[in-house]
Amino acid sequence: MPLFKLLCLVIGLGGLIAQAEAQTPFGAQSAEASPDRSQQWRIPSPDRNIAAHALLFRPPGDGPFPLAIIAHASTENVLRRAQMPQPQYRALASWLVARGYAVLVPERSGHGGTGGRYLEDQSGCDEANYVRAGQATADSIATALAYMRQQAFVRQNGTVILGHSAGGWGALALAGQNPQGIAAIIAFSPGRGGHANDRPNQVCAPHTLTTAAAEFGKAARVPVIWLVARNDSYFSPALSRQLADAFRAGGDRVDFRALPEFRSEGHWLAETDGGEESFGPTLDNAMKAIMAKPARAR
């Protein structure tokens, strides 16, 4: 089958599945399971025709619990997006549940089983629009946040947004909007355009990426913890520090931390079992420092 026809078939099937699932009521779609009371949910997305897939994890009891939302990585490749397994981040979620958080891992439009239109297109490499792509991701996070705040087991303040790669980029865009009730943004190797043309340590339009980071930081007043492994070949510690400095120039304090090398590719630290052994102590200390300070909007 020609590639063009295959792409059309993938997109068409994704749209049909999404339309069917849009008729499914939001909320829990399965019984709770081990570990951490894991449960399939459907939640709203910025595309009103799409019910986004999500995994929810919770501590024992009825709550209310502070909420943590984990925003997953992405790719510009349509076939890879369509074939993506549902993001789980189980080790990171368990780490958060152990600290009292209810954790939601939503799958955004245009990815995997959620399907539908990809809202985060950056428009290629040389002419990449990183601000628009980040804001689209931020809209998905904000939509999930608004819905979860309606749940009786979720506290209205003390929320933590965690993002990985493109999800981290969206979390930085959200920081620039200063939404109420968010205590901290935790960004694992945030950025877009990494592995340009599938080449390690190559980034599409890095100067444009830096300018976009500064744009997000202009109005941001949410504390940001920025984590990157020393062997990250998507966004190196050197580039990540430049991005953090650009964000910091306009916004609030950024706690930038370069972590030890993680296995063969540090970029996947956040979603890999065992990654918590690397980021856990650093993140614990950084979060305690933030939570100990007077809150603006927690």
Side-chain angles (χ1 to χ4, degrees), residues 99-143:
R99 285 152 183 79
Y101 289 88
V103 183
L104 185 77
V105 188
E107 181 180 67
R108 301 190 299 277
S109 298
H111 297 82
T114 293
R117 293 184 301 120
Y118 183 53
L119 306 176
E120 306 168 27
D121 182 24
Q122 69 189 40
S123 299
C125 190
D126 295 336
E127 305 298 326
N129 190 330
Y130 292 129
V131 170
R132 183 181 63 201
Q135 288 172 341
T137 308
D139 288 346
S140 292
I141 299 171
T143 301

Side-chain angles (χ1 to χ4, degrees), residues 226-281:
W226 195 307
L227 304 174
V228 59
R230 296 189 186 278
N231 64 330
D232 191 311
S233 70
Y234 285 75
F235 308 105
S236 69
L239 175 60
S240 294
R241 186 176 290 278
Q242 290 177 17
L243 296 174
D245 287 344
F247 183 92
R248 182 189 291 115
D252 204 354
R253 179 179 62 83
V254 176
D255 187 352
F256 178 85
R257 306 287 184 99
L259 300 174
E261 291 188 2
F262 180 72
R263 299 182 185 173
S264 61
E265 174 54 73
H267 191 68
W268 307 117
L269 170 73
E271 66 174 348
T272 305
D273 288 350
E276 71 281 7
E277 297 175 7
S278 177
F279 67 72

